[in-house]
Amino acid sequence: MMARSLIKLLYLFTVLLLTAGSVQALTGDGGGEWNYSSTLYAQDNSGVDLSGYQINILLDGSNFDFTKADPQGKDIRFESAGKQLSHWTESWDQAAATASIWVKVPSIKAKSESEIKMYYGNPLAEDVSNGASTFELFDDFGNSRLEFTKWESQTNGGGQLGFSSGVCNLIVPAKHPNGFSVIKSKKDFPINSSLVVKRKKVSTGEDTRGPVLQQGFVDPQSETKNWILLQTEQNNEAFVTWTMKNYKANLRYNPWDLSDVNVQNNVWYISETAWYQEGEEINKVAWFKNGVRDPRMDVVSTEEKPYVPGTKMKVFLKSNTYVEGSPNTGYMSIDYLFVRKYIPHEPTISFSAIQTEEQPAEIIEEIKTPELVLPEGKVLSVRYFDVEEYDDTILSRFNATGVNMVFLRTTGDSIWKSERFIKTAHENDIKVYAMLFIPEGTNATSGKDQLLSTVNAILDYNTKSLSDFDGIDITLDPCTEDTEQACQDNMLLLEEVRKTTTDRIPLAVDMPASYDMADFTKFSDNVDLFVFLAYDAEDQLDSTNAVADALAPKMGEARGADSKAMIDLMVSHLPAENATTSELVGSLYDYYSNDPAFTGIVMTLESDYSQMVPMPEEGSAQEEPESKGIPGFGILSVVLGFAFMSHLKKAKR
């Protein structure tokens, strides 16, 4: 035990030595270095902790020297607390010395400020601006068709969708009293969301009024239940109103002619519909044109008139004809759109003085990471082992990579310590399963009492807590030599667990690579979800073909038993941080896209694998130094490795 402690101390000391003086790691350097930096501060004005919030940084000649940066702003980077931040450059005009950049900040504490470092001045840098990793939903319509993973569409009366040069057109080309073209997001969003659309109205027929345009939010199940839609009509969109319905309160609201867009036909502008909550659950909406709020469009729900619904909704855009059937043909053009988080009192951005000294930033080679698009209804999960070290940046990283479920290592002592993590995860639409291990040094039979005690404690917690566990995951012992006996023991244990839960909470079971699914088929009625491990102590499957071939019998048994199954991969990084991981995970979703048994993927970080197996008894010949999961899934060790390699590269130069 003392030897393990000394090794841990030496490791931590090494970490401190390597990280001391390291500024950060920036991607896409192109072989160059960043020569300048500025410091800016995001001050919270809402009084609540913000997580994964998108802030808008406006640059001009008073706070930024455009002559020091790339003419298109390709070399802009942002960093906070040693982590590079996702950003998207909305506009950059060097001649006019103006720019608008959105940056996703991991966390801003209530009534506090977060320091952000902005780097620039690298003429070789590549453009890493990425809307998909910055916003809750983003589309610049770069493809020649609608992305089916993001959108669903509907047309009527000759309506159609058109795509050209990165623009999506919602077209109503024919005279028809109910002709329309609609796109609706597959993902739904909670209140405190804002839809931003760069759009224009184009009239093509004899009726210069053109089509009626709508943008906003609608109910996920039925557009006729709840909606919040901005509607514009007439020439120059001079007639602007809201159309709302709150199904729960059985109320509709259609205030007429509240404002006007006053933008000529075929001219771009930015329309933003903000839907938010303020005070004691008071729902509100607001409208912004080109970033400026129009107070005439403010709507506030009251107890007497709760016009604004508060349930989750989907993004909705529509172009349609007038009801009298006038030949008002035309379309809504959409250059780009995004959904961002929104609070009424947004953070204030302030700048320090411009710095022109060279910055000793550590540079790593860029890894081109393709966007991972999660198929509708599928799960992307990750194992997390140390809730006591949790901070909001962890969930921000999960959001960035598309994670919607976490398997959280849980013991009898850590259950209530998990409440804040679970509550924040739920606010980010992430489910949390309690991950339970058969006690080390025991088997399913002798460890039954301890495991059942923890299960009962979780059920008790769910009756009293602010945020329930969404399920329980039982991790079976992958190191048992007598697999046949282990299967028998574990089936008995799982029967006891199911009797204890009595269907009050879903049950997932991790199946080690050595286990035969056929042994568990007769027990499948008592398991809601099987998780097949694609690795063991000796082998790690790291290609789509290898995973599919190895798991084919188990997936076949799952299909035959009408069961649901996930695949557990061991990976070195999360998909948003590594191209290889992103490609592997994405290709497996494609491979199993039509498999009725396949539910999704679980990711186990290599740095955390030691926690998936029981540690050997102290003093045994196989004893290895203790490996405690580093908060953030061992990414610190990854960054250290990159920093060390960068140091070697610079030394060689």
Side-chain angles (χ1 to χ4, degrees), residues 87-159:
H87 80 275
W88 178 68
T89 302
E90 184 174 25
S91 64
W92 185 281
D93 188 336
Q94 186 185 49
T98 60
S100 173
I101 307 171
W102 291 90
V103 180
K104 188 172 185 178
V105 182
S107 66
I108 307 175
K109 296 297 182 183
K111 297 299 182 182
S112 299
E113 63 182 17
S114 288
E115 181 178 304
I116 300 168
K117 202 82 166 181
M118 178 172 64
Y119 291 88
Y120 53 100
N122 179 355
L124 301 179
E126 302 171 19
D127 190 0
V128 298
S129 168
N130 190 323
S133 63
T134 303
F135 299 108
E136 312 305 296
L137 172 70
F138 176 84
D139 205 333
D140 59 4
F141 304 101
N143 297 322
S144 58
R145 56 182 174 79
L146 208 62
E147 291 190 46
F148 73 93
T149 57
K150 293 181 180 179
W151 302 100
E152 52 189 87
S153 63
Q154 185 180 5
T155 59
N156 186 56

Side-chain angles (χ1 to χ4, degrees), residues 386-390 408-424 432 434 436 453-469:
D386 198 350
V387 74
E388 293 189 32
E389 297 293 338
Y390 161 71
L408 177 64
R409 174 66 184 269
T410 306
T411 64
D413 295 332
S414 69
I415 293 174
W416 280 100
K417 297 176 184 177
S418 306
E419 186 176 48
R420 184 169 65 90
F421 177 90
I422 300 171
K423 186 175 187 299
T424 310
V432 180
L436 308 183
S453 174
T454 304
V455 170
N456 277 308
I458 290 171
L459 297 175
D460 180 66
Y461 163 88
N462 274 9
T463 65
K464 303 172 181 176
S465 71
L466 292 173
S467 296
D468 297 359
F469 282 101

Side-chain angles (χ1 to χ4, degrees), residues 385-396:
F385 290 86
D386 198 350
V387 74
E388 293 189 32
E389 297 293 338
Y390 161 71
D391 62 53
D392 290 341
T393 60
I394 298 296
L395 285 176
S396 296

Side-chain angles (χ1 to χ4, degrees), residues 27-87:
T27 61
D29 67 304
E33 297 185 2
W34 279 263
N35 293 312
Y36 309 107
S37 75
S38 294
T39 302
L40 52 99
Y41 305 90
Q43 171 70 50
D44 171 65
N45 299 310
S46 65
V48 298
D49 292 344
L50 302 180
S51 174
Y53 197 84
Q54 300 92 2
I55 62 173
N56 189 203
I57 296 175
L58 300 175
L59 302 180
D60 57 41
S62 69
N63 57 33
F64 187 76
D65 187 349
F66 280 81
T67 66
K68 304 294 186 184
D70 178 83
Q72 286 80 43
K74 294 188 295 184
D75 59 344
I76 292 293
R77 302 290 187 272
F78 297 90
E79 173 265 330
S80 180
K83 181 181 183 296
Q84 184 171 327
L85 308 182
S86 297
H87 80 275

Side-chain angles (χ1 to χ4, degrees), residues 251-561:
L251 281 176
R252 292 193 183 195
Y253 185 50
N254 297 92
W256 297 108
D257 198 13
L258 294 177
S259 184
D260 63 274
V261 176
N262 194 27
V263 173
Q264 293 183 1
N265 185 66
N266 206 21
V267 174
W268 292 107
Y269 71 97
I270 297 175
S271 174
E272 178 175 6
T273 47
W275 166 49
Y276 62 99
Q277 193 173 84
E278 189 173 18
E280 298 180 359
E281 298 187 357
I282 299 174
N283 299 343
K284 299 183 178 183
V285 294
W287 178 63
F288 299 76
K289 186 186 85 172
N290 292 330
V292 179
R293 185 172 187 153
D294 187 339
R296 294 172 294 182
M297 296 293 292
D298 289 355
V299 176
V300 180
S301 275
T302 64
E303 287 189 21
E304 296 77 21
K305 298 178 179 179
Y307 298 125
V308 183
T311 58
K312 287 186 176 182
M313 291 196 281
K314 295 186 174 185
V315 166
F316 180 90
L317 295 108
K318 181 179 183 180
S319 178
N320 63 277
T321 58
Y322 286 92
V323 292
E324 79 269 16
S326 171
N328 60 324
T329 59
Y331 49 90
M332 179 201 298
S333 282
I334 307 168
D335 184 13
Y336 60 77
L337 63 78
F338 57 84
V339 176
R340 69 181 183 96
K341 294 183 179 181
Y342 181 85
I343 53 174
H345 304 288
E346 296 208 77
T348 303
I349 310 302
S350 59
F351 291 76
S352 68
I354 297 177
Q355 302 172 16
T356 57
E357 70 272 15
E358 290 192 6
Q359 298 300 316
E362 295 290 343
I363 311 299
I364 63 172
E365 293 183 358
E366 180 183 19
I367 301 174
K368 294 286 187 180
T369 305
E371 178 188 357
L372 175 63
V373 179
L374 195 64
E376 181 75 11
K378 298 301 181 183
V379 176
L380 180 61
S381 182
V382 68
R383 298 187 187 273
Y384 186 47
F385 290 86
D386 198 350
V387 74
E388 293 189 32
E389 297 293 338
Y390 161 71
D391 62 53
D392 290 341
T393 60
I394 298 296
L395 285 176
S396 296
R397 289 183 57 227
F398 293 166
N399 279 330
T401 205
V403 167
N404 54 20
M405 180 188 288
V406 174
F407 285 6
L408 177 64
R409 174 66 184 269
T410 306
T411 64
D413 295 332
S414 69
I415 293 174
W416 280 100
K417 297 176 184 177
S418 306
E419 186 176 48
R420 184 169 65 90
F421 177 90
I422 300 171
K423 186 175 187 299
T424 310
H426 287 173
E427 291 170 353
N428 286 270
D429 298 323
I430 297 174
K431 294 183 177 180
V432 180
Y433 271 49
M435 181 169 55
L436 308 183
F437 289 75
I438 296 174
E440 295 179 9
T442 66
N443 56 34
T445 303
S446 60
K448 181 179 69 175
D449 291 342
Q450 185 175 338
L451 186 70
L452 293 178
S453 174
T454 304
V455 170
N456 277 308
I458 290 171
L459 297 175
D460 180 66
Y461 163 88
N462 274 9
T463 65
K464 303 172 181 176
S465 71
L466 292 173
S467 296
D468 297 359
F469 282 101
D470 297 286
I472 293 176
D473 170 62
I474 307 293
T475 300
L476 306 181
D477 177 9
C479 297
T480 304
E481 295 181 3
D482 189 350
T483 305
E484 183 176 353
Q485 182 61 46
C487 285
Q488 295 175 5
D489 290 344
N490 282 316
M491 280 191 284
L492 293 174
L493 181 144
L494 294 174
E495 267 188 301
E496 291 292 329
V497 172
R498 178 55 83 186
K499 289 178 182 177
T500 301
T501 60
T502 59
D503 295 323
R504 285 183 286 174
I505 190 169
L507 180 62
V509 175
D510 297 338
M511 298 286 292
S514 57
Y515 281 40
D516 187 351
M517 177 61 185
D519 293 332
F520 279 83
T521 300
K522 59 185 178 182
F523 187 67
S524 59
D525 290 342
N526 291 323
V527 174
D528 299 292
L529 179 66
F530 287 101
V531 181
F532 299 143
L533 274 61
Y535 55 85
D536 55 28
E538 286 77 33
D539 194 17
Q540 176 180 336
L541 305 179
D542 55 5
S543 72
T544 302
N545 291 341
V547 171
D549 292 345
L551 297 184
K554 291 181 181 179
M555 292 300 295
E557 292 286 352
R559 286 190 291 271

